[in-house]
Amino acid sequence: MKSYDQIFLANRAWAQSLKSADKEYFQKMALGQTPKYFWIGCADSRVSETVVTKSQLGELFVHRNVANLVNENDTNLLASLRYAIDYLKVKHIVVAGHYSCGGVKAAYDGLEDPYITDWVSDIKSTLNANGKEIEAIEGDMNRIDRLAELSIMKQVDKLASMDLIKDAWARGQRLFIHGWIFDLSTGELNSLKEIHPDDMIQ
Ligand code: CO
């Protein structure tokens, strides 16, 4: 047996258990999706959004990348965002980062890697812009965790300044933007920032 056969065995057992609770579970699932959330999360293996929020299939529309960054030139993010807002009509956009993030650490450490350095440069800018606050914190781990918080809040602000989202607000679409952080050491998800559509719809 190959080591990855376990993946397929687990999949069949999972599908079977859902089908025994509801014979038509997957036929119904195949008809379409109406998620209320668009989740922008980190690629980290320990922060699966569906697991940590105890969600079911169909509840979260997801985009993940290293260090949960909102890059206005990222066509992958833009296509997902467009589909989430204008086609699925999600109500909430969530930037969800986490403590002990390797991507944030790479920016903090000044890691030089041709495939990573440029991607995390936005976190480096956040570090430079908040140098005094970060330096006043004791210990690299705590500094990296504060940098993760600051970066999440910055991604929320970036979303709020994007045409895709401003246009939705201008049309009266009630779209909330959230900045959340997951604590790997406690399993708890907490809110850092929220932008409420009533404050943005004129
Ligand atoms: Co991460």
Side-chain angles (χ1 to χ4, degrees), residues 42-44 46-47 65-68 98 100-104:
C42 183
D44 193 296
R46 302 162 295 175
V47 298
N65 62 45
V66 169
N68 41 271
H98 64 103
S100 312
C101 181
V104 176

Side-chain angles (χ1 to χ4, degrees), residues 34-51:
T34 53
K36 291 191 173 60
Y37 293 87
F38 177 43
W39 181 284
I40 301 169
C42 183
D44 193 296
S45 64
R46 302 162 295 175
V47 298
S48 165
E49 65 296 316
T50 305
V51 174

Side-chain angles (χ1 to χ4, degrees), residues 118-157:
D118 185 53
W119 178 254
V120 299
S121 63
D122 183 66
I123 307 175
K124 191 85 184 169
S125 315
T126 306
L127 175 61
N128 294 336
N130 297 275
K132 276 217 172 80
E133 183 193 334
I134 302 276
E135 273 171 39
I137 297 168
E138 197 68 46
D140 285 338
M141 293 265 280
N142 295 328
R143 289 177 177 187
I144 290 165
D145 286 348
R146 179 57 183 158
L147 183 54
E149 294 180 348
L150 292 168
S151 177
I152 289 166
M153 292 187 276
K154 182 175 171 189
Q155 309 314 306
V156 168
D157 289 336

Side-chain angles (χ1 to χ4, degrees), residues 80-90 164-165 167-168 171 173:
S80 310
L81 191 59
R82 169 73 161 178
Y83 196 71
I85 296 171
D86 295 281
Y87 294 81
L88 297 173
K89 313 263 189 229
V90 298
L164 265 173
I165 291 182
D167 290 350
R171 290 192 304 268
Q173 198 167 336

Side-chain angles (χ1 to χ4, degrees), residues 184-196:
L184 286 162
S185 69
T186 64
E188 290 178 4
L189 187 64
N190 290 299
S191 173
L192 297 170
K193 187 178 175 93
E194 177 178 317
I195 296 180
H196 197 283

